[in-house]
Amino acid sequence: MRRTSYKLTLPAVAAAAMLMFPGALPASASSTSAGSAAAAGAALTLTGGSCEGLARRFLCSVAFSGAVAPVSVRWFVDGSHVPAYDNRTFVGIGCQPTFRYDIRAVISDGTGASVEYRSNPVCRSGNP
């Protein structure tokens, strides 16, 4: 059986509490939580990504902000989905020296928004 865990941010918890129990928070807490919930509603944005070539391996990472839970990260190598890399922001991808690869990461959030990172590195040979 596979366990799935989710990280909830304080603004998301406060927003959920406000929706479920609108009278439970004092007025000052409601305005603070509403401001935080508005800040959390920022659009999903790709803030960084890289694929560094080592000998026979790429070390790839992606960074994003403004995502609304649940968030998924899906990795593709030469057009094929690689489920073993899913929901990771940092992966090590093996490769054949001198070949060019198409590496893509698609980040999606609970609102249906998605962003993509794409790279086309050439695999290096040699010792790591």
Side-chain angles (χ1 to χ4, degrees):
M1 182 159 80
R2 183 176 170 169
R3 285 188 173 184
T4 303
S5 63
Y6 298 96
K7 293 181 182 178
L8 293 176
T9 61
L10 185 55
V13 172
M18 285 175 41
L19 291 173
M20 293 174 61
F21 308 105
L25 296 174
S28 61
S30 297
S31 62
T32 303
S33 295
S36 298
L44 174 61
T45 306
L46 184 67
T47 58
S50 69
C51 274
E52 299 297 323
L54 298 177
R56 301 176 197 276
R57 179 164 299 279
F58 299 116
L59 299 180
C60 300
S61 66
V62 291
F64 54 91
S65 66
V68 175
V71 177
S72 70
V73 180
R74 293 174 44 123
W75 289 90
F76 299 83
V77 178
D78 288 338
S80 296
H81 176 226
V82 185
Y85 300 152
D86 280 358
N87 300 318
R88 298 179 187 196
T89 56
F90 182 83
V91 296
I93 301 170
C95 62
Q96 273 298 90
T98 72
F99 285 86
R100 180 172 299 277
Y101 287 78
D102 177 36
I103 299 173
R104 189 167 56 108
V106 178
I107 300 104
S108 304
D109 74 359
T111 66
S114 66
V115 292
E116 180 179 295
Y117 167 76
R118 184 172 230 144
S119 181
N120 296 91
V122 174
C123 187
R124 295 176 24 191
S125 61
N127 294 326

